Amino acid sequence: MPNLITITDFSAPELDVYARLTEPQLVHLYEPDQGIFIAESPKVILRALDAGYRPVSLLSEPQQLLGEGSKVLARCGHIPVFTAESKVLSKLTGFHLTRGMLCAMYRRPLPSPQKLCTSARRVAVLENVMNPTNVGAIIRSSAALGMDAVLLTDGCSDPLYRRAIRVSMGCVFQIPWTYLDGCSLHDMGFKTAAMALRDRSISIDDPELMAQDKLALFLGSEGDGLADETIRACDYTVRIPMFHGVDSLNVAAASAVAFWQLGRRP
């Protein structure tokens, strides 16, 4: 049975994780152990549970405890379930942005890049993509369009930030991801391709590129793109053919086009 607790005191410390702690504070909440993150909406929470993440507590409108929300309750055991009407919950910072249910969940240790890439053939690598909306959108496209894994540099936004999870529609729990941590993809048997506008760029549908058995596609930050040294270190520099004088796409849009093309296996 769920442990239902009606909210009467907005200053209760149990609500800090939903209303008063910042994303970085949540990450470091239980150091040296893993921190927590917030998942929004029953559908996304269920995807996190399917991926093995453990819940800490729930915050929900009463009507969300029925329907799909009841499936969440059935899988969460005797954790605290804080509840109040939506007009009351709207006083909690950020709750009005959700789909009626939030779940605080424990983070898990991330796998090493080597372990994650053991059987992968198509990998997306994000370099300093700092916008959580773009990170979430890229991860959603990765899952949908044939990538086997996502690697991120330390300069990227955390895929478990609320906005990234929300934009990904929970796909951060469906595709493996971790931080690159300085390892060499060449050493793991990958050919590497940089998405960049350069004179020597080849088209994204180049037959040689398509024929590679193991390929890692590098995507850069929204403003500056990939670092010059990253581009020089890659085996290929690739571009998406465009029309009407347009020379580039938002990194999330470009990733979807590239993943659709390169996710089709040789």
Side-chain angles (χ1 to χ4, degrees), residues 165-184:
I165 296 173
R166 181 167 65 244
V167 172
S168 81
M169 285 301 294
C171 289
V172 293
F173 309 121
Q174 294 177 290
I175 185 168
W177 62 270
T178 195
Y179 289 96
L180 189 57
D181 197 26
C183 70
S184 169

Side-chain angles (χ1 to χ4, degrees), residues 7-191:
I7 296 172
T8 57
D9 181 5
F10 285 100
S11 66
E14 294 86 354
L15 300 179
D16 285 350
V17 296
Y18 298 108
R20 288 176 284 275
L21 295 184
T22 65
E23 300 270 17
Q25 287 173 322
L26 293 177
V27 173
H28 300 292
L29 189 60
Y30 296 124
E31 285 185 331
D33 295 328
Q34 299 292 312
I36 66 173
F37 64 91
I38 305 296
E40 304 181 9
S41 85
K43 179 176 290 186
V44 170
I45 295 167
L46 287 170
R47 287 179 176 173
L49 292 170
D50 288 342
Y53 287 91
R54 293 191 299 118
V56 179
S57 65
L58 286 160
L59 177 64
S60 179
E61 298 174 350
Q63 60 267 33
Q64 287 293 337
L65 301 178
L66 306 173
E68 198 167 28
S70 66
K71 300 176 185 177
V72 173
L73 292 183
R75 295 181 57 181
C76 285
H78 197 63
I79 65 170
V81 180
F82 302 103
T83 185
E85 296 297 332
S86 57
K87 64 181 180 181
V88 177
L89 290 176
S90 65
K91 298 177 184 178
L92 285 172
T93 302
F95 192 85
H96 67 284
L97 299 176
T98 76
R99 292 179 173 85
M101 180 177 277
L102 298 176
C103 186
M105 311 189 87
Y106 292 106
R107 288 173 176 259
R108 300 186 310 184
L110 292 172
S112 69
Q114 292 84 352
K115 181 177 180 180
L116 187 146
C117 292
T118 297
S119 59
R121 295 180 59 201
R122 292 290 184 266
V123 173
V125 184
L126 311 189
E127 180 181 83
N128 300 335
V129 179
M130 295 172 283
N131 187 318
T133 297
N134 282 335
V135 169
I138 292 169
I139 287 177
R140 186 176 184 181
S141 293
S142 299
L145 299 172
M147 296 296 105
D148 298 312
V150 178
L151 300 174
L152 305 98
T153 66
D154 289 338
C156 289
S157 179
D158 188 341
L160 293 183
Y161 277 3
R162 278 176 64 172
R163 184 179 294 276
I165 296 173
R166 181 167 65 244
V167 172
S168 81
M169 285 301 294
C171 289
V172 293
F173 309 121
Q174 294 177 290
I175 185 168
W177 62 270
T178 195
Y179 289 96
L180 189 57
D181 197 26
C183 70
S184 169
L185 284 158
H186 285 131
D187 290 346
M188 290 187 275
F190 285 88
K191 290 291 187 179

